[in-house]
Amino acid sequence: MIRYIRHAAAFCLLLLVALLVNAARVQVFEADALDDNPANRRTTIDRYDRPRGNILVGGRSVTGSKDTGEQLAYERTYRDGPLYAPVTGYASQTYGTTLIENAEDAVLSGTDPMLAPLPFWNEITRDRQPGGDVVTTVNDSMQRAAYEGLGGRRGAVAAVEPTTGKILALVSTPSYDPERLSGTGSSVTDAWRELNASTSQPMLNRAIRQTYPPGSTFKIVTAAAALDAEVVTDPDAATDTPSPYVLPGTSTTLPNEARGCEQASLAEAIRVSCNTVMAHLGVEVGLDGMVEAAEKFGFNDSGLKIPSGVARSNFDTDMSDDQLAQSAIGQFNTTATPLQMAMVASAVANGGDLMYPHLVDRTTTHSGSTVHTTGSRSYHRAMNPMTAMRLRQMMTDVVQDGTGTNAAIDGATVGGKTGTAQHGVDNSGLPYAWFIAWAQAEGSARPAVAVAVVVEDASADRADISGGGNAAPIARSVMEAALED
């Protein structure tokens, strides 16, 4: 009898060991796979069982969380949702996350190991910390000036601080309220369907995710290339450009909206926006030189993150001379995001040194201790300092007595460049209105801001757009807000 009891006890011990081994297998070796299993609802419940960290602008939260009393307890809320949607993105229990809500999700959700009090704390305890906060570089008054200036028209504004790369404003309109997508249920799915079906594409972040032909604003890049390559040594000297200019290898003539462009100097071509001169200079610089110049400003970079990904601005690397001539004036296949064109203006304002743009200043724990700080760093030396100095003067002339007078600000030095981007079949679409600019307060040692504005549905004729009738006043409002800080 005792032998049978021993056998039974040994068998029970074996079962117990097998049970412990299996439990260890499940809890240790298969834990990650089970956590990631879509059928495991516990992970989703846990994700929303406490408030999410906040995104801050100017020291104030533009996000929040509310307890719904449901199984997925906390839903995201947004203050001035449409104003800040291009910055925050959305955090939805149904549709996931975008923009900062996505790029900084680990901090905001409390899963970032850097939030833990000790190394490996989260792994040992299998817990997470209270959500941390994300402090942005955005200036509230500039953001509002850009948003109000666009007035709901399809378009975008990007503004950066030239000496640091901090993004001070990032606006896209028409916009949407991300809070409509926060929770679950029919109201959320209906909002999603409505927003995606809208012809105005309110969820498209035009400032960083949409590219446009930059039109004449790209002439600043071409001018930088011509000066750096010494194709032009004296900006005030006449060029050998005929008017009309016949595109190389074709019988097609390139028109000018401005007058007096024949043999015009580089400075005059920038001031009144001569297509012929700039197209001709682009061809003289050559394909390799133009590609190199464009890429120094950030074109063709598919890896730019702010920390959200930015759409690649394009300058073709394989073109015929006639295509190069068109590309040199921001047409053909040349495309750019508004942020990219703000970077162009920024490089000029900052003496040729282009700083890497960033939207997040720092991340913190829930209690406010800094976890990570985004330092300023150089992105590229976009042009020689002498070239930048000459372009500053040319852009200043554009605002003082050229096509950009609507951007002038009393008590400040303002440099700008207007642009008209044609599009559509046979250029039948209403041209986009562009304006890029920078501003520096009188007596200040450094520029305050560089800005790019694009208005898609500008209700004006082409000459008015070229004169900065739609985009320049918006840029001026944003620059005024920057100078007042």
Side-chain angles (χ1 to χ4, degrees):
M1 178 65 70
I2 293 176
R3 184 179 61 183
Y4 293 135
I5 292 174
R6 287 176 179 170
H7 289 169
F11 183 66
C12 289
L13 179 60
L14 182 62
L15 291 176
L16 178 61
V17 171
L19 181 63
L20 292 174
V21 169
N22 188 59
R25 178 183 64 82
V26 171
Q27 295 181 18
V28 178
F29 298 105
E30 295 187 5
D32 291 340
L34 292 171
D35 283 345
D36 296 336
N37 192 317
N40 182 9
R41 190 164 172 77
R42 292 174 62 90
T43 303
T44 304
I45 293 172
D46 180 64
R47 177 180 174 84
Y48 298 108
D49 73 346
R50 65 184 72 180
R52 189 170 172 83
N54 286 314
I55 299 171
L56 280 65
V57 171
R60 291 201 307 159
S61 294
V62 296
T63 60
S65 298
K66 65 178 180 182
D67 188 351
T68 63
E70 304 291 335
Q71 189 176 52
L72 304 182
Y74 285 92
E75 288 183 7
R76 195 56 146 168
T77 61
Y78 294 88
R79 178 174 64 85
D80 293 324
L83 173 64
Y84 288 110
V87 175
T88 63
Y90 59 75
S92 170
Q93 294 175 351
T94 305
Y95 298 108
T97 57
T98 60
L99 302 179
I100 284 182
E101 293 277 28
N102 176 264
E104 299 292 350
D105 182 68
V107 170
L108 295 166
S109 65
T111 59
D112 191 325
M114 295 297 292
L115 298 173
L118 296 170
F120 306 110
W121 180 265
N122 290 355
E123 289 79 359
I124 295 170
T125 63
R126 298 196 64 78
D127 195 9
R128 60 190 175 99
Q129 305 305 307
D133 293 337
V134 175
V135 181
T136 72
T137 58
V138 173
N139 178 298
D140 180 76
S141 61
M142 293 174 63
Q143 185 82 0
R144 292 179 185 276
Y147 186 79
E148 291 168 5
L150 284 168
R153 292 175 292 178
R154 288 196 299 273
V157 176
V160 300
E161 188 173 60
T163 55
T164 64
K166 291 180 178 180
I167 297 175
L168 303 176
L170 202 67
V171 171
S172 175
T173 59
S175 189
Y176 72 104
D177 187 353
E179 191 167 331
R180 297 180 63 192
L181 304 176
S182 292
T184 59
S186 60
S187 62
V188 171
T189 55
D190 289 346
W192 177 264
R193 191 180 304 111
E194 174 196 325
L195 291 169
N196 279 285
S198 174
T199 57
S200 65
Q201 298 179 281
M203 289 199 295
L204 172 63
N205 190 336
R206 291 172 165 87
I208 62 171
R209 296 283 174 84
Q210 179 65 42
T211 60
Y212 304 87
S216 293
T217 58
F218 189 81
K219 292 173 182 174
I220 298 300
V221 177
T222 302
L227 289 166
D228 274 359
E230 297 186 349
V231 168
V232 173
T233 55
D234 181 0
D236 295 314
T239 62
D240 60 349
T241 309
S243 182
Y245 173 69
V246 179
L247 295 176
T250 75
S251 58
T252 303
T253 57
L254 185 66
N256 283 308
E257 291 297 317
R259 295 181 179 178
C261 289
E262 185 172 5
Q263 311 293 325
S265 67
L266 173 60
E268 182 67 7
I270 292 295
R271 187 181 72 84
V272 300
S273 203
C274 294
N275 290 334
T276 53
V277 173
M278 302 312 299
H280 183 212
L281 289 177
V283 173
E284 289 196 325
V285 170
L287 178 61
D288 291 344
M290 285 299 300
V291 169
E292 181 183 3
E295 290 183 348
K296 285 180 180 178
F297 283 97
F299 284 82
N300 298 339
D301 184 353
S302 57
L304 183 65
K305 297 182 182 297
I306 61 168
S308 306
V310 179
R312 176 182 180 273
S313 296
N314 182 72
F315 189 84
D316 278 2
T317 59
D318 185 11
M319 290 181 278
S320 59
D321 280 352
D322 62 309
Q323 293 167 340
L324 178 59
Q326 295 174 70
S327 297
I329 60 171
Q331 296 288 169
F332 189 55
N333 288 336
T334 304
T335 59
T337 62
L339 177 61
Q340 171 63 76
M341 296 314 297
M343 291 164 64
V344 170
S346 176
V348 174
N350 196 41
D353 191 11
L354 176 59
M355 305 302 289
Y356 200 100
H358 58 279
L359 188 56
V360 173
D361 182 64
R362 66 186 186 278
T363 55
T364 72
T365 64
H366 179 68
S367 60
S369 300
T370 298
V371 173
H372 179 264
T373 299
T374 307
S376 298
R377 58 190 174 100
S378 180
Y379 177 53
H380 284 304
R381 166 60 69 179
M383 71 195 92
N384 293 329
M386 179 59 72
T387 295
M389 184 181 72
R390 288 169 164 173
L391 282 174
R392 277 176 60 100
Q393 185 58 55
M394 289 183 226
M395 293 181 74
T396 301
D397 291 343
V398 168
V399 174
Q400 288 180 346
D401 61 356
T403 59
T405 55
N406 282 336
I409 300 172
D410 290 340
T413 302
V414 178
K417 182 69 189 78
T418 54
T420 304
Q422 299 186 48
H423 66 103
V425 178
D426 295 327
N427 294 328
S428 59
L430 189 65
Y432 299 142
W434 274 98
F435 192 74
I436 63 172
W438 52 267
Q440 184 166 333
E442 187 175 349
S444 175
R446 59 180 60 187
V449 64
V451 61
V453 178
V454 64
V455 181
E456 289 184 29
D457 50 351
S459 54
D461 61 35
R462 189 169 188 269
D464 185 33
I465 294 172
S466 297
N470 283 271
I474 301 171
R476 182 184 64 227
S477 296
V478 175
M479 292 187 290
E480 286 174 338
L483 293 167
E484 289 170 1
D485 272 7

